[in-house]
């Protein structure tokens, strides 16, 4: 290991640098470029933490036509050692990427954070739980390759332990296989458990405005780094406090990316993620009589039987259908073969419906 490489390891290890990243960077080290991690991006420039400190660099050289390949917070990059302006030359291949669809009519994907190990979905207990929104966040989190964690913030606003326990159970039912933690940043409750979870890698904080993400970030950091604003009492919501995605090293180990509040959370090619969120439905579906069962009115449907038997909430099935339809529309806009398959399925169902109607009319004669 050269002195330069050793210096990079020492300076960048708190930000997640390891031997695998060093191996991936080796060709760029030979060119005299510096390794660094993007801690903030704005207006075509970014802040990159390197062994030489935090550098300001231009991203013009790595701004592709594909919006999913733009430089984003969490990326590991090769940056020029000097120059005015200084440029990021390339991004190392991402291990994970958290992507949502934009609100544009073109339905482009927008990358929110890269190389994330844990996706922390912050949900405020200051307002009624929106289970469907939690499911949506979890679908994107699973699809990213990160391990989701749901954090119920402002737990001090629910003083009754029995009520709090029921709320946690409701979310656990909504989030199979996902840790669900109740936390009060104001009183310090639950922070030790959350800190232990995020200490082993990079975590991204996700949630709506007013969910308490910045307050949670400050509590984990042990100091007021992120600006905090009060939420509205009427609905527990707030204005955007964080306006950029910021990557911060935690004192107890690990890295945290705080993000702006997300009003819209559209799916982006998240079929596998949806499947993991609704794992119990997909498991039940294996016992349906027909392999292509739509779980609507087909005979021998194991999913509908589970609803009738009280084993599966009807709300879960409706949410599952909604997210599948949404994801299918997004994929179809960019995948010609998928569009053809959807049209074929519409025609098949139309033919079945037509045949059923004709049979019904024949029986009435």
């Amino acid at each position: 290991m050269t002195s330069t490489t050793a210096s990079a390891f020492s300076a960048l290890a708190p930000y997640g640098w390891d031997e695998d990243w060093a191996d991936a960077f080796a060709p760029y080290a030979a060119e005299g470029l510096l390794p660094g991690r993007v801690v903030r991006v704005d207006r075509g420039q970014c802040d990159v933490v390197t062994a030489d400190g935090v550098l300001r660099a231009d991203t013009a050289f790595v701004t592709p036509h594909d919006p999913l390949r733009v430089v984003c917070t969490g990326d590991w990059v090769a940056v020029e050692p000097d120059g005015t302006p200084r440029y990021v030359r390339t991004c190392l291949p991402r291990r994970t990427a958290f992507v949502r669809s934009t609100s544009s009519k073109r339905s482009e994907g927008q990358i929110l954070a890269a190389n994330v190990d844990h996706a922390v979905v912050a949900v405020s207990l200051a307002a009624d739980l929106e289970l469907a929104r939690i499911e949506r966040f979890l679908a994107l989190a699973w699809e990213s390759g990160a391990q989701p964690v749901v954090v119920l913030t402002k737990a001090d606003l629910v003083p009754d332990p029995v009520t709090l326990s029921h709320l946690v159970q409701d979310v656990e039912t909504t989030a199979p296989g996902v840790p669900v933690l109740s936390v009060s940043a104001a009183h310090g409750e639950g922070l030790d458990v959350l800190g232990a979870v995020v200490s082993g890698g990079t975590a991204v904080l996700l949630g709506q405005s007013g969910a308490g993400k910045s307050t949670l970030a400050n509590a984990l950091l042990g100091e007021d780094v992120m600006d905090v604003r009060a939420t509205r009492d009427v609905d527990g919501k707030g204005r955007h406090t964080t306006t950029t995605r910021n990557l911060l090293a935690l004192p107890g180990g690990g890295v945290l990316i705080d993000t702006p509040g997300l009003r819209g959370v559209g799916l982006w090619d998240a079929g596998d993620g949806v499947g993991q969120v609704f794992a119990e439905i997909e498991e039940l579906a294996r016992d349906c009589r027909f392999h292509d069962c739509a779980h609507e009115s087909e005979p021998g449907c194991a999913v509908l039987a589970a609803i009738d038997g009280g084993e599966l909430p009807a709300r879960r099935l409706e949410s599952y259908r909604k997210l599948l339809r949404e994801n299918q529309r997004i994929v179809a806009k960019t995948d010609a073969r998928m569009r053809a398959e959807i049209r074929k399925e519409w025609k098949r169902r139309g033919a079945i419906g037509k045949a059923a109607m004709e049979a019904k009319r024949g029986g009435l004669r």
Side-chain angles (χ1 to χ4, degrees):
M1 182 182 295
T2 66
S3 59
T4 301
T5 305
S7 175
F9 257 98
S10 175
L12 297 178
Y15 292 90
W17 185 256
D18 57 29
E19 291 186 3
D20 289 336
W21 286 121
D23 289 342
F25 188 79
Y28 307 107
E31 298 177 17
L33 299 175
L34 296 177
R37 194 166 195 191
V38 178
V39 298
R40 186 171 179 268
V41 179
D42 64 283
R43 300 178 183 178
Q45 293 189 316
C46 62
D47 293 334
V48 183
V49 61
T50 71
D52 293 344
V54 178
L55 308 177
R56 187 72 169 166
D58 197 298
T59 64
F61 272 103
V62 286
T63 302
H65 295 297
D66 182 355
L68 299 183
R69 297 306 307 166
V70 299
V71 175
C72 78
T73 303
D75 270 326
W76 285 100
V77 298
V79 65
E80 295 176 341
D82 49 38
T84 306
R86 190 192 309 262
Y87 289 97
V88 170
R89 287 292 178 174
T90 191
C91 288
L92 298 187
R94 292 164 178 157
R95 293 178 182 175
T96 62
F98 194 97
V99 181
R100 68 166 176 175
S101 68
T102 66
S103 58
S104 69
K105 294 182 179 180
R106 292 179 294 177
S107 297
E108 294 177 337
Q110 178 190 22
I111 184 163
L112 300 180
N115 302 311
V116 172
D117 301 295
H118 291 95
V120 179
V121 180
V123 180
S124 173
L125 290 176
D128 293 338
L129 290 176
E130 294 184 55
L131 298 179
R133 179 171 288 272
I134 295 174
E135 289 163 343
R136 178 178 292 273
F137 270 110
L138 291 175
L140 292 176
W142 280 123
E143 191 68 32
S144 75
Q147 167 65 51
V149 180
V150 177
V151 175
L152 302 180
T153 65
K154 308 180 184 181
D156 52 288
L157 298 181
V158 187
D160 180 20
V162 175
T163 301
L164 180 60
S165 176
H166 287 160
L167 290 171
V168 171
Q169 289 176 8
D170 286 344
V171 178
E172 287 176 337
T173 301
T174 299
V178 175
V180 179
L181 310 176
S182 60
V183 171
S184 169
H187 296 171
E189 297 171 358
L191 288 174
D192 54 341
V193 178
L194 178 59
V197 170
V198 301
S199 65
T202 298
V204 60
L205 272 175
L206 305 162
Q208 289 181 287
S209 297
K213 298 187 304 301
S214 294
T215 300
L216 194 59
N218 286 337
L220 291 170
L221 289 162
E223 56 181 317
D224 292 340
V225 174
M226 308 306 297
D227 184 27
V228 177
R229 295 178 186 171
T231 57
R232 299 192 299 254
D233 292 335
V234 64
D235 56 9
K237 297 181 179 179
R239 295 173 294 170
H240 291 308
T241 300
T242 303
T243 56
T244 58
R245 298 169 190 89
N246 302 279
L247 184 147
L248 305 156
L250 297 171
V255 175
L256 185 69
I257 299 176
D258 191 18
T259 64
L262 301 175
R263 290 193 180 94
V265 192
L267 299 186
W268 178 259
D269 197 5
D272 291 341
V274 172
Q276 286 185 273
V277 175
F278 299 93
E280 81 278 30
I281 294 179
E282 299 216 334
E283 185 174 348
L284 285 167
R286 297 190 186 101
D287 294 327
C288 290
R289 182 182 301 178
F290 304 109
H291 75 277
D292 59 348
C293 183
H295 320 307
E296 293 175 348
S297 58
E298 297 87 343
C301 175
V303 175
L304 294 180
I307 291 176
D308 292 340
E311 302 168 29
L312 178 70
R315 186 206 67 78
R316 285 280 285 170
L317 178 58
E318 183 55 37
S319 184
Y320 176 61
R321 287 171 174 161
K322 180 179 180 180
L323 292 182
L324 280 182
R325 288 194 300 267
E326 178 182 329
N327 190 67
Q328 194 177 53
R329 286 196 299 270
I330 290 294
V331 173
K333 288 182 178 180
T334 57
D335 191 326
R337 185 174 64 178
M338 176 63 74
R339 289 197 295 272
E341 290 177 355
I342 291 173
R343 284 195 296 268
K344 183 178 179 181
E345 177 65 13
W346 286 343
K347 289 180 180 179
R348 185 185 72 83
R349 292 195 179 190
I352 292 174
K354 183 178 180 181
M357 286 298 296
E358 290 179 351
K360 184 176 181 180
R361 288 169 182 165
L364 293 176
R365 290 174 184 169

